[in-house]
Amino acid sequence: MAEAEAVRLKEEGNRHFQRQDYKAAAKSYSQALKLTKDKALLATLYRNRAACGLKTESYVQAASDASRAIDINSSDIKALYRRCQALEHLEKLDQAFKDVQRCATLEPRNQNFQETLRRLNTSIQEKLRVQFSTDSRVQKMFEILLDENSEADKLEKAANNLIVLGREEAGAERIFQNNGVALLLQLMDTKRPELVLAAMRTLSGMCSGHQARATAILHVVRIDRICSLMAVENEEMSLAVCNLLQAIIDSLAGEDKREHRGKEEALVLDTKKDLKQITSHLLDMLVSKKVSGQGRDQALNLLNKNVPRKDLSIHDNSRTIYVVDNGLRKILKVVGQVPDLPSCLPLTDNTRMLASILINKLYDDLRCDPERDHFRKICEEYITGTFDPQDMDKNVIAIQIVSGILQGPFDLGNQLLGLKGVMEMMVALCGSEREADQLVAVEALIYASTKLSRATFIITNGVSLLKEIYKTTKNEKIKIRTLVGLCKLGSAGGTDYGLRQFAEGSTEKLAKQCRKWLCNASIDTRTRRWAVEGLAYLTLDADVKDDFVQDIPALQAMFELAKTSDKTILYSVATTLVNCTNSYDVKEVIPELVQLAKFSKQHVPEEHPKDKKDFIDMRVKRLLKAGIISALVCMVKADSAILTDQTKELLARVFLALCDNPKDRGTIVAQGGGKALIPLALEGTDVGKVKAAHALAKIAAVSNPDIAFPGERVYEVVRPLVRLLDTQRDGLQNYEALLGLTNLSGRSDKLRQKIFKERALPDIENYMFENHDQLRQAATECMCNMVLNKEVQERFLADGNDRLKLVVLLCGEDDDKVQNAAAGALAMLTAAHKKLCLKMTQVTTQWLEILQRLCLHDQLSVQHRGLVIAYNLLAADAELAKKLVESELLEILTVVGKQEPNEKKAAVIQTARECLIKCMDYGFIKPVS
């Protein structure tokens, strides 16, 4: 019984394989393997499963299955050739050559084996040539680099060549095998910055995607030495070392996504100890006075990127727990740094913000209340332990820590505000005579007014205090900060026109003052940043945003600030731009609920007259004219943890608002907006990725892809557009994604192949069934381009599906555009495969009627496509041609073919005449003299 079932499963697998359902075929063969002990059947099953592995690109599995079949029968020629194909894809050319050599011995006249033998022989010779030349090149490069008398240009060229070689797998392996790590250490010992940089970048390439090599390099170079190099003041050096550490961490954590094979697959490395050591050293860097501000930033960037889980569905958050237990106090120390105090560590403008973001990410990564309580207790103990009635500096640091946490996890910050003495100390510091005390206190007050509930509390207690400071202080830095506090409290009503906190005109006055400071280049960048922060709150008011976009110098001043090294401004600029373009989410107002609210005397949100579409369009035009795109492109490129997923979402919203008018899309593309959207569509929040993908779709739908996304970038656009095809998205998003894919699929077969591999075909087919006319039209036009691809054609050729039937029926639709696209697809399919010509006559009884309607269509393009289909059917098979001649189609062809020559109808008349000539060739009709 078991043997019979195994045979049945084998036959089932064969049927799946013929239908090109390779995964189902492999499953059937696997089930059969468990049921049989018959050696001949086992060999066949393993051989067949190897064929499935080749088709699904599972080459390791394919080679393994073929080997098992060969173990049973060493002369199994099919298994030998399949193993040869798998080994060739795995780049084990010498082993593949032996297999095909055996095949050629068994069947000497097989041309396929002879051709493979020649090809592999050429590849092996080339590989050996490259290997030997690489060895000598590596040796020569190190000789130049370690020679003190080498000329500068030779030195630079050798360093660059070494870096390029380190990025290639073969080159990296040759450097590693030829004692390259020791020689790179000698380069580092020279202390010459350009040579140390070259060594770091070469090591970085060697570590990428290779766990064993990364582990060896980490142990030889040592983590303390790597960290000491990252601690230097030189920004370029610090960044290069940071990239090296990231490459090591990725490889150790198994995120290199490389398929390991052979000896390396068998080598199991316990990397947890090394990863913990790296984390420990990075945490020590945070509080060391020997570390530069740049080095501290890079350490924080690495912790931000690698400690919290990227996917919260993964249960293990042990890295976060380790950092909370061993490093949270160190992070709090960085957050509490006050630049004006003598005890302050070396910092950059970004350091404290990076630390706040890290605290936020760690807090979000905790899984349960006990973990969060433990986190809160550490913070509370650290803050209360810092307070000292005798030392005002310590009190300022304590408030600075609270201020930093308020910029991170808001709920934790609000809990800490409730600690005994915190609010009192903030108020006391506001009245201090020292500038540093007032700056810290006012900033803390601003961050404390995070939510509406908290803001109302501060309005009753703190507004009078802020106003008093604003009136009495002569210090511009404090004046700006108190103004921002007032701006924030004044915007607590959001976009609601009827819920204004301050008197009519007050917000406009505050905004005017903010714009004035923003344009004042004599004020330091850090202080001007606060003017943007104020505008981020005030631009919720439509009058303020309308005035702001008309002030071109203020706009350009903000854009210039966004391009500086101070990345803490990114969120404020992005928020301001979201407000100006009205690209925030607006709740739909249901008229019935409004009436009900009025009846029950509840507050009803009111829309400002200047928040209507015409005003928004005018603001977008002015922003584009002021140079918003170059600022956005610069912001997207920021390689810093400060560019959070939330900031990326805001930038994506702005881009989508700017792309709304098709006339503006050319300007956006010309200034690099298309390229900048790709990373936003691939990384960030789910909402942000959808918004960026929608903006990409708008650009891809109307632009030349070669100009909008030059080079290889165009292939990166496909995935976001395919993801946009989802029934959960709205109709416009799906429609524009289809338009974008249609444009891309019309460019090259490589792009069609990419769209096919991203599994877009089922979604495109889905929308061809859609009741919505425009969606059905867009999907059919996309399919019309996609059928040029051979793999798509194979899907139409396969049995057991209605793809061809759907296209034929769509040719009979009343919508001219749908008919045109469907007829185009059918014309190309029937031209490519005779089998599809015969299949077309079997899928529906209406095929002949539909074809006749196409050939008589009023629209010339549809009529021409119909006549091409008729010609393809006539040329495919004599019996089918006879059937067509016996129908009314012959009369239609005669009428069309006999028309007077006409420039517009030339193609139509010519095709009809070619159809008639084909009928004459068969002898079905004769020419009239």
Side-chain angles (χ1 to χ4, degrees), residues 152-198:
D153 57 336
K154 274 190 177 181
L155 208 63
E156 188 182 346
K157 194 174 179 182
N160 288 336
N161 287 342
L162 196 64
I163 294 163
V164 171
L165 211 57
R167 287 174 184 160
E168 299 166 4
E169 175 55 32
E173 193 58 32
R174 299 322 301 161
I175 296 171
F176 191 75
Q177 297 292 349
N178 289 347
N179 197 31
V181 179
L183 292 168
L184 287 166
L185 283 171
Q186 284 184 43
L187 282 186
M188 289 160 65
D189 289 336
T190 62
K191 300 281 193 297
R192 290 170 65 181
E194 68 276 16
L195 296 185
V196 179
L197 260 176

Side-chain angles (χ1 to χ4, degrees), residues 541-582:
D541 184 294
D543 287 318
V544 170
K545 60 181 124 179
D546 217 54
D547 291 343
F548 181 44
V549 294
Q550 289 180 52
D551 188 345
I552 300 296
L555 272 181
Q556 289 175 338
M558 182 175 80
F559 295 156
E560 288 307 312
L561 281 177
K563 296 174 187 176
T564 61
S565 60
D566 182 359
K567 300 303 172 193
T568 56
I569 200 169
L570 294 180
Y571 189 80
S572 304
V573 174
T575 306
T576 306
L577 294 173
V578 164
N579 292 341
C580 289
T581 54
N582 283 51

Side-chain angles (χ1 to χ4, degrees), residues 709-771:
F709 317 106
E712 295 296 306
R713 281 196 185 90
V714 71
Y715 301 103
E716 295 176 53
V717 179
V718 174
R719 183 172 293 172
L721 296 194
V722 173
R723 283 181 185 162
L724 208 56
L725 292 179
D726 193 322
T727 49
Q728 302 298 313
R729 315 263 180 263
D730 64 46
L732 184 64
Q733 288 172 334
N734 280 294
Y735 175 66
E736 293 190 312
L738 285 165
L739 290 184
L741 288 170
T742 304
N743 197 6
L744 293 178
S745 58
R747 301 306 296 176
S748 69
D749 197 57
K750 203 173 172 187
L751 270 168
R752 287 189 282 276
Q753 189 66 21
K754 174 71 175 169
I755 293 168
F756 179 80
K757 285 199 167 180
E758 289 292 342
R759 298 178 184 160
L761 210 63
D763 292 317
I764 297 166
E765 288 167 354
N766 217 17
Y767 287 110
M768 288 167 74
F769 285 102
E770 186 61 53
N771 288 326

